[in-house]
Amino acid sequence: MPKSAQSSELTGWTILGRLGLFVFLVYWFLVGVKLFGGAMGLAGGGVMESLQSGFSNPFAGLAIGIFATAIMQSSSATTSLVVTMVGAGQMSLACGIPIVMGANVGSTITCTMVAMAHVGDRKVFSRVLACSNVHDIFNMLVVAILFPTEVLSRQYFGVGFLEYTATYLTQFVSSGASAEGVSFMNPIALAVDPTYEFFMEFFKWLPLFVGGWKSLPALVFSLALILVSLVYITTNMRVLMAGKMEVWLNKVLKQHGYVGIAIGALITMIVQSSSITTSLLVPMYAAGVLNAYAAFPLLLGANIGTTITGLLASTVCNSSAGVTVALVHTLFNVCGVLIFYPLPFMRKIPIYLSHLLATLIERNRIWAFVFVAMMFFIIPGSGILIWRDAPAEGQGIEKAEGAEKTEDSGIINPKMIDQKVDQSGGQSAGQGVDSVESNDCAESEQERQREHSSPSDKSQVTH
């Protein structure tokens, strides 16, 4: 097709129609996000308590984020669901943050799978993986730094570093949010609420499902709505931006550094998928026109740009907590850029490790599959086994300050148990002494009554 014909398809009514379709799909995406939160509420307290007990382990949350994102091939879907559950009060910030971190790692599997297409040519395959795995290793290094920092800061200070910072920023973003919800008028929520209420009433009315089972069709419908909307948003924006993404990528080759980060973030915000941004680079890696050093800023920008979906999902939440967890996702990726990019020697760490992996793969391609197995299955699974019996203090939904037991996780501070046992033991012992004393008093009172009984009473007893 001639170039003029391609450009004519992207002008006039075609562009207007594509933009209208984009708004339509975003609307139904937000409906699906809010409906998912309502469907979880229909499941009942018992289901939510079981779910929360699984999320209380931070390594379990990290593994869930990796697995869910690897299966759905979309970190945007994972983070949107986490934002919805936290915003609806069905998951605490402490439980949601590890899942968001895991979603960052899980999203890199798409680029790795695209690179696997070159497995037939040993040298091309190792060159492609040397570049594409930079994103994988970078995200793993960021998790290796910020995940323990978040867990330890929560353990010793009662609140995680990212959680504290995001909570502080939320008060500026939400313009005076309170515990009951965001106080300002949200036009997006006002537009979504009527459709959400209609579907919720419909699912409550369904006669085939009783009790908590009413949540099943609502969950299936909302998940399908979220995934289908995201897929078509990505497809639509990719068609709308056809040709322009290649132009911007060529600019990245000429403009390194922070301009590349900005372009990578902008492309990812538009197409709503960091996987597309990073996968577009694979053919350039294979052709040898792009190396890891030139692509690194674009990968960092893609990490920042993908957080826009979670921020968009937080606009339909009825609580500032949803905004907070979306900001945690943004802060996590921004902190990763600040840790590894400003200092030149820090940039070389993920690139060096990626080239080291590529060298191993060039000798034996089995190392590529070992890397995928270790990254997406063995490491998070081992974390669950290690932390299985460890106390996950402070991981439930926060009650009042100094609460002894969280409602969602059911985890009790061992020190509180000892105090309770001592108190209950003292109380029971005290009650036992009081009961003995009361019995003695009752017996002595009966004896006094018999001694002072009247003669007539005695005669009646005799007869």
Side-chain angles (χ1 to χ4, degrees):
M1 184 178 290
K3 187 175 181 180
S4 60
Q6 288 182 355
S7 61
S8 64
E9 292 180 357
L10 298 176
T11 58
W13 292 106
T14 303
I15 294 178
L16 188 62
R18 289 284 179 182
L19 291 175
L21 179 61
F22 171 75
V23 174
F24 175 79
L25 291 171
V26 168
Y27 176 81
W28 284 104
F29 164 74
L30 294 175
V31 171
V33 166
K34 188 156 190 178
L35 188 61
F36 180 82
M40 294 299 293
L42 291 176
V47 176
M48 291 310 304
E49 287 178 3
S50 301
L51 194 63
Q52 292 286 358
S53 63
F55 291 149
S56 63
N57 184 328
F59 267 102
L62 187 68
I64 289 169
I66 295 173
F67 293 146
T69 306
I71 292 171
M72 294 190 292
Q73 296 286 296
S74 175
S75 61
S76 299
T78 306
T79 53
S80 298
L81 296 178
V82 173
V83 167
T84 303
M85 295 180 69
V86 173
Q90 296 157 350
M91 180 186 293
S92 68
L93 284 170
C95 294
I97 290 173
I99 300 177
V100 169
M101 293 182 179
N104 259 39
V105 177
S107 65
T108 61
I109 194 175
T110 304
C111 186
T112 304
M113 290 175 64
V114 173
M116 292 289 184
H118 300 275
V119 70
D121 191 325
R122 188 185 300 270
K123 290 186 177 180
V124 173
F125 184 47
S126 63
R127 182 170 64 243
V128 169
L129 282 181
C131 298
S132 61
N133 283 340
V134 171
H135 194 206
D136 305 354
I137 294 174
F138 168 76
N139 280 332
M140 290 188 68
L141 290 174
V142 175
V143 169
I145 295 172
L146 294 182
F147 177 70
T149 302
E150 187 72 12
V151 172
L152 291 175
S153 58
R154 165 164 279 276
Q155 179 108 21
Y156 291 103
F157 301 105
V159 62
F161 163 70
L162 293 175
E163 181 183 347
Y164 176 82
T165 307
T167 303
Y168 176 76
L169 293 176
T170 299
Q171 61 185 336
F172 301 104
V173 175
S174 59
S175 302
S178 62
E180 285 110 10
V182 179
S183 60
F184 70 97
M185 181 178 294
N186 189 340
I188 298 177
L190 291 176
V192 169
D193 281 344
T195 308
Y196 161 76
E197 295 292 343
F198 169 79
F199 280 109
M200 284 300 294
E201 290 299 325
F202 172 75
F203 288 117
K204 290 178 182 178
W205 168 81
L206 282 178
L208 297 177
F209 300 91
V210 181
W213 287 103
K214 290 182 179 294
S215 65
L216 182 61
L219 284 172
V220 173
F221 179 77
S222 61
L223 283 173
L225 197 57
I226 291 170
L227 295 175
V228 170
S229 298
L230 283 175
V231 168
Y232 278 99
I233 286 173
T234 302
T235 304
N236 177 64
M237 294 309 297
R238 191 172 185 179
V239 172
L240 187 61
M241 298 302 297
K244 295 182 180 180
M245 283 192 292
E246 284 78 5
V247 172
W248 288 349
L249 290 176
N250 288 329
K251 288 183 178 180
V252 173
L253 297 177
K254 300 176 183 178
Q255 301 285 341
H256 301 300
Y258 297 98
V259 176
I261 295 176
I263 293 177
L266 184 59
I267 292 175
T268 307
M269 288 179 185
I270 292 173
V271 299
Q272 296 282 301
S273 174
S274 61
S275 299
I276 287 183
T277 305
T278 56
S279 298
L280 283 173
L281 302 177
V282 173
M284 297 183 182
Y285 300 149
V289 299
L290 184 64
N291 58 35
Y293 288 94
F296 192 47
L298 186 68
L299 300 176
L300 301 183
N303 264 18
I304 296 175
T306 194
T307 63
I308 190 67
T309 310
L311 293 170
L312 185 64
S314 69
T315 60
V316 297
C317 295
N318 295 326
S319 170
S320 59
V323 181
T324 303
V325 74
L327 287 174
V328 166
H329 189 206
T330 304
L331 288 171
F332 175 78
N333 288 308
V334 171
C335 286
V337 174
L338 295 177
I339 291 171
F340 283 96
Y341 194 75
L343 299 176
F345 76 92
M346 291 294 291
R347 302 176 201 170
K348 296 178 181 179
I349 294 176
I351 297 174
Y352 170 77
L353 293 176
S354 183
H355 278 86
L356 182 62
L357 176 63
T359 302
L360 293 174
I361 292 172
E362 189 173 359
R363 296 174 183 171
N364 191 340
R365 280 169 285 188
I366 194 65
W367 285 109
F369 301 97
V370 171
F371 171 73
V372 172
M374 289 288 295
M375 180 174 177
F376 296 103
F377 301 102
I378 297 176
I379 291 177
S382 300
I384 294 176
L385 294 176
I386 293 171
W387 279 62
R388 180 178 58 186
D389 299 323
E393 196 171 341
Q395 292 293 329
I397 293 178
E398 288 82 355
K399 292 289 188 180
E401 212 174 311
E404 296 174 353
K405 179 178 178 180
T406 57
E407 183 180 72
D408 53 350
S409 64
I411 297 170
I412 305 173
N413 189 332
K415 295 180 180 179
M416 295 297 182
I417 295 178
D418 296 336
Q419 292 176 3
K420 281 188 173 183
V421 169
D422 294 339
Q423 292 174 0
S424 61
Q427 289 176 357
S428 60
Q431 290 175 357
V433 172
D434 293 340
S435 61
V436 171
E437 291 179 353
S438 61
N439 290 335
D440 293 340
C441 292
E443 291 176 0
S444 59
E445 182 67 24
Q446 290 176 1
E447 291 177 359
R448 284 196 298 271
Q449 288 179 358
R450 284 195 295 269
E451 290 175 358
H452 294 83
S453 59
S454 60
S456 60
D457 293 337
K458 292 181 181 180
S459 62
Q460 290 176 3
V461 170
T462 307
H463 291 296

